[in-house]
Amino acid sequence: MMKTIKYIIFSMVIMAASTVMTSCNDTRFLEQNPETFYTTDNIFSTSEQVDQVLVSIYSKIRYMWINIPISHDYFNFKEKGTDMLDITYSKRGQSFSDYGLINADHETFRVLYSDFYTIIARANLAIYAAELPQISWGSASDKAYALAQARFFRAFAYKNLGELWGGVPIVTEPVSEPRFDFVRTTRVETYQFAIDEMEAVLNDLPETTAHGGRIVRAAAQHNLSELYLAKGIQLEAEGNAGNAQADYAKSIQYAGQVIDGGTYGLMTDRFGTRASEDRIIIGIHPNGEAARPVVDTIMFETNLYWDLFQTGNVDYQDGNRECIWAVQVDFQAFKTEDPESKLPYSQCYSPVLRDGSNNRIRSWLEDIGGFPNSHTTQNDYVRDSIWEGKFAADLRNSQIVRRRRFKGNMEDSPYYLKEIPWDIIWWIEGISEATAMNQRNMCFPLSCKTTTDQYQGLEDVNQYYQNLFRDDYIIRLPETILLRAEAKQRAGDKAGAANDINMLRSRSKCEYLVTATDVDDNFNLILDERARELLYEECRWNTLLRMGGTVAVDRIRKYSYWPETKATLNFNYNLWPVPQSVIDVNKEVPMAQNPGWENR
């Protein structure tokens, strides 16, 4: 088996059609029960075909998590429109923070709701097919692992649906004909279904695997920690504090099994493919023209946090004990068979310095972070606020992790081959406040998570400096630690929450370690630490909405970049709206809209 899982979707429709077309000279197709009329019961004949359904789910999740289609629906899913990322001024028509444009008909809600039910449908199909009598398995453990993956994915989808939409219909079997009578469960019931599924398959998931990308036991334990935490929050909101505390204890327990189990651990020393490099040197080309020779350089000191995001360093199998689950990306596969095997991060997340800076810096080379279109921008909160004062000294705030130093490369600029001050980059003097706001919006620090000094594929003119070709995290141990910290806080153990947070801060060489008095009742410390550690990684909408109350809307109002957010977010919500198309098609059973979104 290759290092990467080959993300080729097993298409039963194509397979069936191909068989029919090649069988037309066979008189058996005239029989009443011809073999060429495929159903769910007879299309599967091998365990490999069942595995291909699982592979299609891995593919779907990769598609959603790393923004393969460069679709705003998927940027919206991760962090855009939250308290962390906003839209650039050039793309304000695609805003996910202007509530004059957001309602139950918004495409993002329809696409993502449908995507999670696609995962559920494929998982149900794999579960059904795995039990068919004609399927022969290499061993009982092979079958058990296939079923465990399918049930994990089904639970994973329901966890996301519960966090984003609350109670949703639970579907556990393949649906073979149109239905218009789905019934919503409660949010607690949705969480409980996912919990039951995850717990049922724990012993059938391996501790580790030989190849990256496949689900392991810790992925389920991490999700169980999050599910029990989310369920406890909802129970507490409903006045059931006793059961909520029991759920917080379970959340702490499952997170602890990962954190303290001995298999996983924070990386505290330099490691991996570039551990011997104590600095990187990036060339400066006149006028940013790659064809002209390098005339100067800019140097950055490397560190262990930077190591986490280098090619060849992401997977557990690469020696990275923080990685619990990662999507698989491979450059050779991209060139030969898998055009989705790429991270389009530089074009999506890097600042557009070439379009601004008052003709101080241009191009799309390594010195400005690649060839970006900036589908999102860092707001002031993640760019500056969380790093102020005693929180500044932190490897996660170092120049190699958050590159703020840029040298001018325009020959007619007074800053040619000199570092450009940020007030010049932002082009503040002599322009209107509106123009300055636009300029600041397009120019922000580069992240080592979204750019590189070693782009691959430059021989292909269509690649430019747009894509990275490395694996990327879905679950990394620091998020498990932060889940446990939050569960401890909600259980009344603020000192324990501070200790967990300091595991990350100590690893990042922070000068300031937090104390119980820093653990505030509004969970700002938890959310700030998640932003410092997990920018561009976490699904921030899940985090904010599962917290309930007005946590999400309060922080969006406070930290959003554009004034239209504060002007239009004049209502409260803690769930996304059920897509209106879902409500309309479910005509046999009325489906209520989530609070705050009625009649919008």
Side-chain angles (χ1 to χ4, degrees), residues 258-260 262-271 304-305 308 316 319-324 396 476-482 484 499-509 533-534:
V258 181
I259 299 164
D260 305 319
T263 300
Y264 300 90
L266 293 175
M267 303 301 291
T268 56
D269 296 302
R270 297 296 306 274
F271 76 99
L304 65 92
Y305 193 82
L308 290 166
Y316 184 88
N320 182 350
R321 295 182 65 235
E322 290 188 25
C323 180
I324 296 171
R396 298 168 300 186
R476 190 162 60 88
L477 183 63
E479 185 172 12
T480 318
I481 293 170
L482 288 165
R484 188 173 74 173
N499 289 339
D500 276 353
I501 291 170
N502 283 334
M503 292 175 64
L504 304 181
R505 297 190 61 75
S506 295
R507 187 274 291 278
S508 293
K509 314 295 184 188
E533 181 69 36
L534 299 172

Side-chain angles (χ1 to χ4, degrees), residues 350-595:
S350 292
V352 191
L353 295 168
R354 68 178 186 276
D355 287 353
S357 301
N358 202 14
N359 295 318
R360 308 300 188 196
I361 188 169
R362 293 276 178 164
S363 91
W364 49 81
L365 306 180
E366 294 91 340
D367 58 320
I368 68 165
F371 196 162
N373 291 313
S374 276
H375 290 270
T376 65
T377 184
Q378 298 173 20
N379 61 20
D380 294 336
Y381 166 68
V382 294
R383 189 175 60 200
D384 297 318
S385 297
I386 58 175
W387 308 108
E388 290 174 347
K390 60 190 177 185
F391 292 99
D394 186 327
L395 289 185
R396 298 168 300 186
N397 191 36
S398 61
Q399 286 292 342
I400 190 63
V401 174
R402 292 175 52 77
R403 281 167 49 189
R404 300 181 183 85
R405 295 170 48 230
F406 302 96
K407 281 188 177 181
N409 58 25
M410 302 300 292
E411 290 178 290
D412 58 355
S413 166
Y415 288 93
Y416 183 54
L417 307 184
K418 299 177 183 177
E419 290 195 22
I420 314 173
W422 273 94
D423 60 345
I424 300 299
I425 289 177
W426 284 340
W427 196 9
I428 290 174
E429 293 185 5
I431 61 175
S432 69
E433 175 57 31
T435 303
M437 191 173 188
N438 292 345
Q439 186 63 19
R440 291 194 302 272
N441 173 260
M442 297 290 278
C443 300
F444 48 86
L446 285 169
S447 171
C448 71
K449 301 177 183 181
T450 63
T451 188
T452 183
D453 62 313
Q454 295 184 347
Y455 283 96
Q456 294 176 265
L458 298 181
E459 70 279 1
D460 183 344
V461 70
N462 292 323
Q463 290 309 303
Y464 285 109
Y465 294 77
Q466 298 169 320
N467 301 313
L468 309 181
F469 294 97
R470 62 164 172 80
D471 302 336
D472 202 21
Y473 305 100
I474 296 180
I475 303 174
R476 190 162 60 88
L477 183 63
E479 185 172 12
T480 318
I481 293 170
L482 288 165
L483 288 173
R484 188 173 74 173
E486 184 182 342
K488 286 181 177 180
Q489 178 177 351
R490 293 183 184 275
D493 182 10
K494 288 188 174 183
N499 289 339
D500 276 353
I501 291 170
N502 283 334
M503 292 175 64
L504 304 181
R505 297 190 61 75
S506 295
R507 187 274 291 278
S508 293
K509 314 295 184 188
C510 299
E511 288 185 1
Y512 181 73
L513 299 182
V514 301
T515 67
T517 58
D518 294 308
V519 181
D520 64 291
D521 293 336
N522 293 320
F523 298 93
N524 290 313
L525 178 63
I526 292 282
L527 290 166
D528 292 352
E529 198 65 26
R530 289 184 71 97
R532 282 185 277 264
E533 181 69 36
L534 299 172
L535 175 64
Y536 296 122
E537 294 182 69
E538 77 165 311
C539 294
R540 188 69 164 190
W541 277 110
N542 293 60
T543 300
L544 295 180
L545 293 177
R546 71 165 170 75
M547 286 189 159
T550 59
V551 171
V553 293
D554 289 345
R555 290 182 69 89
I556 292 167
R557 289 183 184 120
K558 181 176 181 179
Y559 294 117
S560 60
Y561 191 84
W562 298 109
E564 54 261 32
T565 305
K566 296 178 178 65
T568 59
L569 186 50
N570 52 17
F571 65 102
N572 290 333
Y573 70 90
N574 57 29
L575 291 170
W576 275 355
V578 178
Q580 190 60 46
S581 58
V582 171
I583 293 174
D584 291 343
V585 78
N586 204 62
K587 55 190 177 182
E588 294 181 13
V589 176
M591 187 175 288
Q593 183 54 272
N594 282 328

Side-chain angles (χ1 to χ4, degrees), residues 32-44:
Q32 187 173 358
N33 296 303
E35 294 179 0
T36 51
F37 285 179
Y38 282 91
T39 69
T40 306
D41 286 332
N42 66 22
I43 195 169
F44 291 94

